[in-house]
Amino acid sequence: MSKRFNLRAPAAAPDPSAARRRRSRRAAAPLATVAVLLAGVALGGCGQQRDSAVYTVLNSSTDDSYHRWDAQAMARCGKRLGVTIEQQSVPAAQVMTKALRMASSESLPDIVQFDASEMPTFAEAGGLIDLRTLGLGTDDIPQGIVNFGSYKGTYYGAARSVNTLALFYDKDVLAKAGLKVPATWAELRETAKKLTHGRRYGLALSAGGAEDGVFQFTPFMWSNGGDERRLDGPRVVEALDFWKALLKDASLSKSTVSWTQADVNDQFMAGNAAMMINGPWQVETLDTKKSLHWGIARIPVPKPGDKSVGPLGGAVLTVPNTGDRARENEAARIIGCLAGEKEQLTYALNSWMVPADEKAAAVWRKRVPELDALAGQVATARSRTAELGAGWSSVSLALQSAFQSALTGESSTAALTRAQQRATSGN
């Protein structure tokens, strides 16, 4: 059986937080080239005979730890459901490419775990099944996380865990300086300035020309009331001006414009930064340095009383549209197990992510109280593709260029005006 999907470019920008496994992660490249190569190809998934007792999951769990955790979860769910579940793991930047190639050869896997920011592209092409029609409900999932796995109101992706960014700080450095953890932009700027000394910068963040930098900018843009639909708006300009102010104070390294989130973590661990903006995927590495006593807090807001709004990151489990309804239904049962309360909690405790299920998240908070602030940040986080869907790709590329210009001398207004023109034109 063959189906012709309406494959369109460009694809949504990949999610840096889900596109990395521990410190070795890196943001995936834009997928427009893949879409161009495969546009017009007849895509399908049921052209090959399948073993009725073996189901395949395509994911990005190439890191040894994540691959092992997923294998263990699949073994448990397979035993419970009476099937064998196998995983095919490729680097995060290759998941979409691999899925499209498998579609063109009618050999799609039963389940694909996409970065949530990539999922809209495959959904828009007609390549995914509405999970609700396969019996998967969303009663115990916060609406923001339901939206995270949805495209144009249709629930295509079930999240096992989610993540966002937070402010990490060196407890010893702040204590020695007699400073409290900053909660507002003014406090962050003042604290970072006071903690900048010698080779140590007050703050480290990623403003590189990749999705890492965009991921890190969104909390400042959104918490200030900025909107990705109008990059040249005054609230977005103010957010970028705040980054420029930190750089002017020398509280940020000039290398900020080239750092990835992994680079930021390296600087923090080396003692070259007193604070950093980063995500929970760094915790496993942070804990390897026993002399580093770190804490975590919500990202500071423009003024007291403002809501700290970060980007919701992570991956979602989806069922490709293969035309084989029996296998699609069984795939949904597998997702129901993998994304169930028990398996979510196990996965989240292993990976330091936050369970998507409310009941699992409540248990998680008690088990890892040191990350409670992260759970609070997740509660107000939002998906980057919620407003623009696959159109987020153009915004991301435009912002990446704007950072490079504004942080090396150009005014934020000029850089973001050009970014808005670029995002609107799609070039």
Side-chain angles (χ1 to χ4, degrees):
M1 180 181 295
S2 176
K3 297 181 180 293
R4 184 173 294 276
F5 299 169
N6 179 27
L7 188 62
R8 291 166 40 183
D15 183 344
S17 62
R20 279 187 279 296
R21 294 304 183 199
R22 297 191 301 184
R23 297 172 63 245
S24 62
R25 300 179 185 180
R26 64 179 185 179
L31 294 161
T33 302
V34 177
V36 170
L37 288 172
L38 295 181
V41 174
L43 305 180
C46 50
Q48 295 183 355
Q49 292 296 318
R50 311 275 187 111
D51 185 330
S52 60
V54 178
Y55 288 78
T56 304
V57 179
L58 175 64
N59 62 25
S60 60
S61 299
T62 54
D63 177 89
D64 289 343
S65 295
Y66 282 81
H67 195 82
R68 182 178 69 255
W69 297 333
D70 277 336
Q72 292 169 347
M74 290 175 194
R76 288 190 295 268
C77 285
K79 183 177 181 180
R80 193 176 310 164
L81 299 174
V83 297
T84 298
I85 309 170
E86 299 177 345
Q87 62 177 323
Q88 294 182 12
S89 301
V90 298
Q94 297 176 21
V95 172
M96 177 68 81
T97 306
K98 177 75 171 179
L100 292 173
R101 287 176 178 166
M102 294 176 79
S104 68
S105 63
E106 301 189 1
S107 59
L108 275 168
D110 298 287
I111 295 169
V112 179
Q113 181 170 293
F114 284 116
D115 285 345
S117 57
E118 291 181 335
M119 178 271 292
T121 298
F122 215 81
E124 187 175 75
L128 298 177
I129 300 292
D130 180 349
L131 295 183
R132 287 193 177 101
T133 67
L134 298 177
L136 293 180
T138 57
D139 290 345
D140 294 324
I141 306 174
Q143 189 58 46
I145 297 178
V146 174
N147 295 340
F148 179 66
S150 300
Y151 178 60
K152 293 184 176 179
T154 301
Y155 183 57
Y156 292 112
R160 299 159 71 191
S161 64
V162 292
N163 61 69
T164 189
L165 295 168
L167 178 72
F168 289 74
Y169 57 93
D170 188 318
K171 291 181 178 180
D172 295 336
V173 171
L174 264 72
K176 185 177 181 180
L179 297 171
K180 65 178 184 179
V181 180
T184 66
W185 283 7
E187 292 174 358
L188 178 61
R189 185 175 181 184
E190 187 63 23
T191 301
K193 189 184 300 185
K194 289 180 178 179
L195 293 177
T196 298
H197 180 73
R199 296 182 60 183
R200 186 187 69 209
Y201 292 94
L203 178 68
L205 56 80
S206 169
E211 184 70 7
D212 275 26
V214 179
F215 198 66
Q216 296 226 331
F217 183 65
T218 53
F220 296 89
M221 176 173 71
W222 288 338
S223 298
N224 197 43
D227 194 298
E228 55 267 41
R229 293 172 299 185
R230 189 186 169 194
L231 298 181
D232 56 352
R235 298 293 189 176
V236 184
V237 172
E238 288 173 1
L240 188 50
D241 275 342
F242 180 69
W243 273 16
K244 285 173 67 73
L246 292 170
L247 196 61
K248 183 179 180 180
D249 292 343
S251 297
L252 291 178
S253 168
K254 292 181 179 180
S255 298
T256 294
V257 295
S258 62
W259 281 348
T260 65
Q261 292 179 128
D263 295 329
V264 169
N265 193 58
D266 288 341
Q267 295 298 319
F268 183 70
M269 290 188 68
N272 296 331
M275 301 179 289
M276 71 169 177
I277 305 295
N278 227 314
W281 52 88
Q282 307 292 7
V283 170
E284 186 177 2
T285 304
L286 287 171
D287 282 348
T288 63
K289 187 173 182 179
K290 302 304 180 183
S291 62
L292 176 61
H293 304 126
W294 56 271
I296 189 171
R298 297 192 189 190
I299 296 175
V301 294
K303 60 182 184 300
D306 286 345
K307 183 184 295 185
S308 184
V309 184
L312 197 60
V316 292
L317 294 167
T318 69
V319 177
N321 183 6
T322 64
D324 187 333
R325 193 64 171 187
R327 290 191 71 91
E328 291 166 358
N329 282 324
E330 190 63 28
R333 292 182 65 220
I334 293 170
I335 290 178
C337 180
L338 292 174
E341 180 183 343
K342 183 177 180 180
E343 290 298 338
Q344 276 198 29
L345 181 60
T346 300
Y347 185 80
L349 289 171
N350 281 333
S351 63
W352 300 99
M353 305 300 177
V354 182
D357 180 272
E358 288 181 322
K359 294 178 181 177
V363 176
W364 181 88
R365 283 174 181 262
K366 295 178 181 178
R367 296 279 293 275
V368 284
E370 66 273 22
L371 295 182
D372 186 70
L374 184 71
Q377 188 86 56
V378 162
T380 59
R382 43 174 290 211
S383 168
R384 286 159 293 158
T385 60
E387 290 191 2
L388 301 177
W392 171 261
S393 175
S394 295
V395 167
S396 176
L397 292 172
L399 279 174
Q400 292 169 31
S401 179
F403 298 156
Q404 299 298 292
S405 298
L407 296 179
T408 54
E410 188 175 23
S411 73
S412 297
T413 298
L416 289 169
T417 296
R418 189 167 58 255
Q420 177 62 27
Q421 293 171 346
R422 180 177 180 180
T424 303
S425 67
N427 296 320

